[in-house]
Structures are given as C-alpha cells and as structure tokens.
Amino acid sequence: MDFSTEEGGVFENLLPLDGDDREKVYIETYGCQMNFNDSEVVASVLIANGYAITSNINNADIALINTCSIRENAEIRVFGRLDVFAQIKKHKPAMLVGVIGCMAERLKDKLIEDRKVVDIVVGPDAYRELPTLLRAAEDGQKGINVLLSREETYADINPVRLDKNGVSAFVSIMRGCNNMCTYCVVPYTRGIERSRNPESIIREVKDLFDAGYREVTLLGQNVNSYNWHEPNSPTKQTTNFADLLEMVALVDPRLRVRFSTSHPKDLSDDVLYTIAMYENICNHIHLPIQSGSSRVLKLMNRKYTREDYLNRIAAVRRIIPDCSISTDLITGFCTETEIDHDQTLSLMREVGYDFAYMFKYSKRPNTKAANKFEDDVPEDVKTRRLSEIIELQGKLSEISKRKDLNKSFEVLIEGESKKSKEHFYGRTTHNKVVVFPREDHKVGDFVFVKVTNCTPATLIGNIVKE
Ligand code: 5AD
Ligand code: SF4
C-alpha cells in the first residue's frame, strides 16, 4: 500500500452543507489509501443516517480519527492527536471522540481505558455499526465494536468522495490479507482476505466516470490474489484480478486505471499482458520487495527469493517494456547483517526503481516477528542503513526522471500546483508528477506535456500538441 499519507489528512469539503441542524462529524485519516477510502465509506454510512461532514473540528459534534498501526510511529502520532482532541473537548465537553481503523482493532477497549477522551472504538469491519454506537454514546454509554468479518466488503455502499479534485478516486476491490508476513500487523487488524463482487465494483467505476472522474485506483492489500467466486453459479465462474482489470479498463477508454498493491508471488503474466493490452491501464507497478536478501525474505515469510523477484521484474520488462516500477523496503529487520543490507542495495541498483517507500523495521506486538525473533539490529545501525537506501534511491529516482527529459507524455490534469496558481499538476502513466503552465485547460483534461526539466520530486514541462 501507498503509505505516503502517514502524516494524516483531513477532508476539506463539507457534505452536506454546513449550517443545517444535522450533527457534524469531523474525520481525520492516517495511513494507507485504503484507510482514506474507508473514511469515504464511513462518511457515506453517517450521511445516510442523518449526519453531515465538516472539515473543521471546532464545528464538530463528533470527531473521528481513522488510524494506522503499521509502524509504531503511526500510532504515536495518533496518540498525540488524541491529546489535542482532549484539549478541544475541554471547551466543548459534548463533543464525542471515536477511534476507528487499525488501532481500534489492535488496542480495543484499552483505548477507552487509557484515554478518557475516547467514547467509541470501531474496527475496520464494523463501520455499519457507527450510527448505533454514536447514539448510545450520546446517551453516555461508551461503545466498542471490533468484530472482524469473513464477508464484509461494503460492496453496496457508495463511498462519499471526500477528496477535492473530482478526477481521481480510490475503489477498494478487496479487504484483509492472508499473507502473514512476519513483521506485519495488517492480517490482525484487517482480518482475512475477501474479494468484492465485481458487479458492484464495475457499477461504482461507471458511476465515477459518469460523475466526471477520469482515473480510478483499485485498492487491496494484495490485489493480485483478487478472486471472486460467483455464488450459486452452475459453471463455478470465477473472476481473477486480470479479468477484473480488463473489465474496469473496458468501462471507458478515457478512464485511467491504476492498482495497488501487488505481491510479487502473485503477480501473474496474465495481469502483465492485460496491462500491455489496454492503453488506459497505466504503465506502473508497485511491487514491494522489502529486502534484497533471500535469507531475510524467508524470515519475513514473503514466499519468494531474490531470484524469484528478479524473474518477475524480467517478466515486467519483457511484457511491458515501458513500465515504471516502485517498491517498499524495510531496513534493519531482525538478524539483518551488512551482507543482507548490501544485497538490498545491489537489488535496488539492479532493478533501478523509479520510486520507493523506505522504512525502518518497527516491531509490532503479537506479530510472529515480535513473538519469535529478536529485534536485534541496533537503532543507530537501522538509521544508517535507512539513510543509505534513501540516498541510493535518490540517485535512482533522479536517473528515472532524467530519462523523461525532452519526451512528451499524456497527463491527466489533477489540480492546481501548490506553488503557483498559474500551473497545473498531473501524473504521467508512470505515476510521475509533472507541473506545467495551465494555458486554457481545466482539471480533468488530458493533455500532452513535454518534459523540459526536473527537480528531485517533480517533472517540469509545457503543454504540446502531441
Ligand atoms: N515495520 C516497518 N515497515 C513495515 N511495513 C509493514 N510492516 C512494517 C513494520 N512492522 C511496510 C512494508 C509494507 C508497507 C505498507 O509498510 O514495507 O509494504
Ligand atoms: Fe502486511 Fe504482507 Fe499483507 Fe502486505 S502482504 S498487508 S506486508 S501481511
């Protein structure tokens, strides 16, 4: 998953309009794209039950914080925010505070016991219960529902789009994870893997297209293991991820399709051929490696070796020659030696990643790594290794950007550049951000942009005729 938003975010629009007498809910979201999409499901459930959404906590009757447990830092940040909520509550004693998402699932009633400010605790599979729990909390009854489900996919709930651009949207295609990577808390907080009915996915995608959206990102912890069995089908018909990707691509050629995250062990050639076949499926794959050492990968229970992974990369290069590749890396996992670390660096060079999310290993309670292995890489060594991989990735990202100089790319305009009202930003098929003078175009248009320059994070260019 893309955890670029770990610092948290608040939806800035207000739905429905402020000023009516509905109770107002403020939602702050941390963690992965899936969590942001979950907040949209939560908003939908609440609006259907008579609440309004506000972006200003000072106007809120209810403040929800959608949390992430993936690393200790993510949890520390949320505790910090709960302290701020407690300060606000001093001036507004009637405001209810709810913790939802992965920390709710992991810490359960401990959250209410430890933090007096918390009124309700709701896990990722229990969002339909939010209105009931809120009503009870209004009557002074603290509430908790952290039941995980084998079926819940919120398939029938149309998420209320809380992002601002109206151009790109996330669509969850599955929930949970069965992989049990030894370092990872997700299988415990989000439960077992379940795929969402493809019909409901296609309906949601069509609705988005009709509403003017021009890009969807299909989300799951491991999208390549998406598998839907049609219940009661005499032919036992199934839909796998390659099938689903094709169905989504066929909704309209003017709709860009992205997906995240792929597990290397499940990325099939069929999926790669589907990407190659459809112009509107973006040429970018996020393929987390985690470590370049087969020994460490085994300890992580990733179920592939360095060689297996490089074979998958070779398949990507063969089937989609013009494809960008990004990854996730964990440095300083239990027992990692300098030799293992050097293997990570050499693998990064060999693949030549366009982009990477890089993390220090963080021990998560109750995972296999926490229970069975010693977190024995000293903090200063983890820090040094992390800075070495960040430095190398900086060079690789620069090489990747320089490759684009003087080339033209189709770009979907996503919004105004943060730095200048005269400029738009959008992304290339390779998921690289480009900034360019806006001319007479508008958000949601596709334009061709010739890249003339780049900064460490962004491509810079001008609109051209194609
Ligand atoms: N410590 C550090 N990073 C982790 N990730 C998952 N669990 C941990 C952990 N315990 C990283 C992995 C994963 C990404 C979403 O977060 O790289 O791909
Ligand atoms: Fe965690 Fe591994 Fe599942 Fe990703 S694939 S969510 S790292 S258990």
Side-chain angles (χ1 to χ4, degrees):
M1 293 257 92
D2 174 351
F3 275 75
S4 56
T5 47
E6 201 172 80
E7 69 278 9
V10 177
F11 299 119
E12 294 198 4
N13 53 351
L14 198 61
L15 291 159
L17 284 180
D18 234 347
D20 61 26
D21 55 7
R22 274 174 279 198
E23 284 190 89
K24 295 183 190 63
V25 187
Y26 166 88
I27 311 176
E28 195 166 295
T29 308
Y30 291 81
C32 60
Q33 296 163 333
M34 184 76 97
N35 249 16
F36 276 74
N37 191 229
D38 277 4
S39 288
E40 299 182 324
V41 167
V42 165
S44 177
V45 168
L46 292 174
I47 289 171
N49 282 275
Y51 294 89
I53 306 294
T54 176
S55 62
N56 183 347
I57 192 168
N58 296 313
N59 293 339
D61 302 295
I62 296 150
L64 299 180
I65 183 158
N66 193 354
T67 59
C68 173
S69 287
I70 197 100
R71 281 170 290 277
E72 195 182 3
N73 274 345
E75 293 197 346
I76 290 171
R77 217 162 285 145
V78 165
F79 281 124
R81 287 301 292 160
L82 284 176
D83 291 342
V84 174
F85 285 16
Q87 289 302 321
I88 295 171
K89 203 168 160 155
K90 278 196 186 139
H91 307 290
K92 301 173 55 164
M95 184 177 85
L96 295 177
V97 172
V99 178
I100 64 175
C102 289
M103 275 173 80
E105 196 61 51
R106 200 179 83 69
L107 297 168
K108 304 185 168 75
D109 41 358
K110 243 176 85 65
L111 272 167
I112 291 182
E113 282 162 25
D114 289 3
R115 302 273 154 158
K116 296 284 167 275
V117 68
V118 179
D119 297 292
I120 61 165
V121 174
V122 186
D125 286 345
Y127 295 146
R128 291 179 202 268
E129 292 306 312
L130 262 166
T132 313
L133 288 163
L134 284 173
R135 276 193 291 275
E138 277 159 17
D139 295 336
Q141 214 182 309
K142 296 209 172 200
I144 165 163
N145 188 335
V146 288
L147 283 180
L148 286 174
S149 158
R150 297 187 148 262
E151 285 100 31
E152 180 64 273
T153 58
Y154 299 114
D156 56 318
I157 293 181
N158 221 351
V160 171
R161 301 296 159 185
L162 295 166
D163 57 274
K164 280 182 302 173
N165 71 7
V167 170
S168 52
F170 298 127
V171 175
S172 295
I173 61 164
M174 58 204 295
R175 297 182 73 81
C177 184
N178 284 352
N179 283 325
M180 307 301 284
C181 301
T182 53
Y183 51 80
C184 187
V185 77
V186 168
Y188 307 96
T189 60
R190 288 188 162 270
I192 62 162
E193 182 183 291
R194 57 230 111 110
S195 296
R196 176 178 166 190
N197 177 343
E199 245 175 64
S200 75
I201 297 172
I202 297 302
R203 202 179 317 122
E204 184 175 330
V205 170
K206 281 190 174 144
D207 287 351
L208 284 165
F209 185 79
D210 291 343
Y213 283 80
R214 290 296 173 265
E215 180 179 281
V216 290
T217 303
L218 308 180
L219 294 181
Q221 305 297 340
N222 179 11
V223 290
N224 295 100
S225 66
Y226 175 88
N227 205 358
W228 170 261
H229 301 259
E230 196 58 49
N232 313 321
S233 154
T235 55
K236 301 227 170 355
Q237 202 190 335
T238 61
T239 307
N240 66 20
F241 184 58
D243 302 329
L244 180 75
L245 202 52
E246 179 165 48
M247 287 158 72
V248 175
L250 286 169
V251 165
D252 197 291
R254 291 164 296 167
L255 181 75
R256 271 187 168 182
V257 185
R258 300 185 185 274
F259 58 88
S260 186
T261 289
S262 293
H263 193 299
K265 76 177 167 53
D266 298 315
L267 177 66
S268 68
D269 282 1
D270 276 357
V271 166
L272 299 178
Y273 283 118
T274 308
I275 299 171
M277 190 147 67
Y278 291 93
E279 212 25 48
N280 58 331
I281 305 180
C282 291
N283 286 5
H284 167 236
I285 296 181
H286 185 63
L287 201 62
I289 173 79
Q290 313 299 1
S291 166
S293 152
S294 294
R295 189 187 70 81
V296 172
L297 289 170
K298 191 158 195 337
L299 277 183
M300 289 177 161
N301 193 31
R302 290 291 289 176
K303 302 193 178 96
Y304 54 83
T305 60
R306 174 189 176 98
E307 289 67 36
D308 296 334
Y309 183 90
L310 288 172
N311 281 337
R312 287 290 75 210
I313 296 291
V316 174
R317 302 278 186 231
R318 185 176 73 244
I319 299 169
I320 323 165
D322 178 36
C323 190
S324 68
I325 301 178
S326 57
T327 201
D328 291 346
L329 287 156
I330 297 177
T331 190
F333 186 63
C334 314
T335 78
E336 186 189 70
T337 62
E338 288 304 320
I339 294 170
D340 296 318
H341 172 60
D342 285 345
Q343 289 185 349
T344 297
L345 293 168
S346 79
L347 182 125
M348 290 170 72
R349 279 189 213 99
E350 194 162 340
V351 177
Y353 289 112
D354 296 274
F355 187 78
Y357 296 102
M358 296 156 280
F359 312 104
K360 263 192 254 184
Y361 169 60
S362 162
K363 178 175 167 181
R364 305 315 292 131
N366 298 327
T367 56
K368 178 157 180 205
N371 290 340
K372 296 255 159 59
F373 312 144
E374 201 185 330
D375 181 11
D376 57 355
V377 178
E379 192 57 28
D380 59 329
V381 175
K382 282 185 188 170
T383 306
R384 195 244 314 143
R385 289 182 188 163
L386 179 65
S387 63
E388 283 175 14
I389 65 170
I390 290 175
E391 191 187 326
L392 173 57
Q393 186 52 46
K395 290 185 187 141
L396 297 175
S397 297
E398 187 178 337
I399 294 170
S400 155
K401 291 207 182 61
R402 294 209 163 272
K403 270 199 311 224
D404 293 346
L405 288 179
N406 300 315
K407 291 188 192 148
S408 297
F409 297 93
E410 193 176 28
V411 172
L412 171 61
I413 304 180
E414 292 179 38
E416 226 169 54
S417 154
K418 272 194 201 121
K419 291 197 182 129
S420 144
K421 280 194 176 345
E422 307 305 314
H423 289 74
F424 276 141
Y425 78 91
R427 277 172 299 153
T428 65
T429 185
H430 303 129
N431 209 28
K432 294 184 198 170
V433 174
V434 201
V435 173
F436 48 93
R438 55 196 294 164
E439 299 187 6
D440 53 357
H441 289 281
K442 58 181 191 316
V443 172
D445 285 353
F446 283 100
V447 287
F448 279 87
V449 175
K450 183 167 182 186
V451 177
T452 53
N453 208 342
C454 61
T455 69
T458 321
L459 300 174
I460 296 166
N462 287 301
I463 295 177
V464 288
K465 279 252 156 11
E466 184 168 346

